[in-house]
Amino acid sequence: GVTSLCKGLVNHRSNVVPVYDITELAGAKPQHWERKRLLILDTKEKAVGILLYDLPAQIGVDDPLQANEIIDVPEIFHRHASGGYWSNGTIWLNLNRESFFTELNTLCLRVA
């Protein structure tokens, strides 16, 4: 009874945590998952999981962006971004996690 954005649920420290693959939101094709990795953000009832295809890496900030300078990103990201950065040709966004995942939860429950 959920859309393809929600990949499942995991038990994390006795809390049921929804798992998302946000590459679908970004318009990218899901990648092959060579080694399963899951990043759990937040705790207790606010916890969410996202699939990781690579290990997180530290980035250098090349060029800070204000929210009104962010272009060419899907609207769902733009609605929750307060700014971002250019780094090695990639935009990294400062997202309000709580509002982003609240909207994502709502989108997952919309069954086509």
Side-chain angles (χ1 to χ4, degrees):
V2 296
T3 66
S4 63
L5 294 173
C6 185
K7 298 303 179 191
L9 302 168
V10 296
N11 181 335
H12 178 67
R13 298 183 180 162
S14 299
N15 291 293
V16 177
V17 176
V19 176
Y20 304 104
D21 185 351
I22 60 175
T23 58
E24 186 175 325
L25 286 175
K29 291 183 180 180
Q31 302 171 20
H32 176 67
W33 224 22
E34 289 190 25
R35 186 167 182 195
K36 294 181 179 175
R37 296 180 181 103
L38 183 63
L39 176 64
I40 305 289
L41 302 172
D42 226 323
T43 60
K44 299 183 182 176
E45 64 277 347
K46 291 184 178 182
V48 295
I50 56 173
L51 299 179
L52 295 180
Y53 294 99
D54 293 310
L55 291 174
Q58 185 175 0
I59 61 167
V61 176
D62 296 337
D63 190 17
L65 298 170
Q66 299 300 316
N68 62 347
E69 298 175 302
I70 298 170
I71 57 172
D72 297 329
V73 297
E75 184 58 32
I76 187 169
F77 294 108
H78 201 278
R79 282 194 295 275
H80 304 283
S82 61
Y85 303 91
W86 277 105
S87 181
N88 297 325
T90 301
I91 294 176
W92 294 87
L93 300 175
N94 291 333
L95 285 179
N96 179 318
R97 269 195 339 244
E98 190 169 342
S99 68
F100 175 76
F101 285 108
T102 296
E103 182 174 352
L104 195 54
N105 285 336
T106 302
L107 289 174
C108 284
L109 295 175
R110 291 187 187 157
V111 179

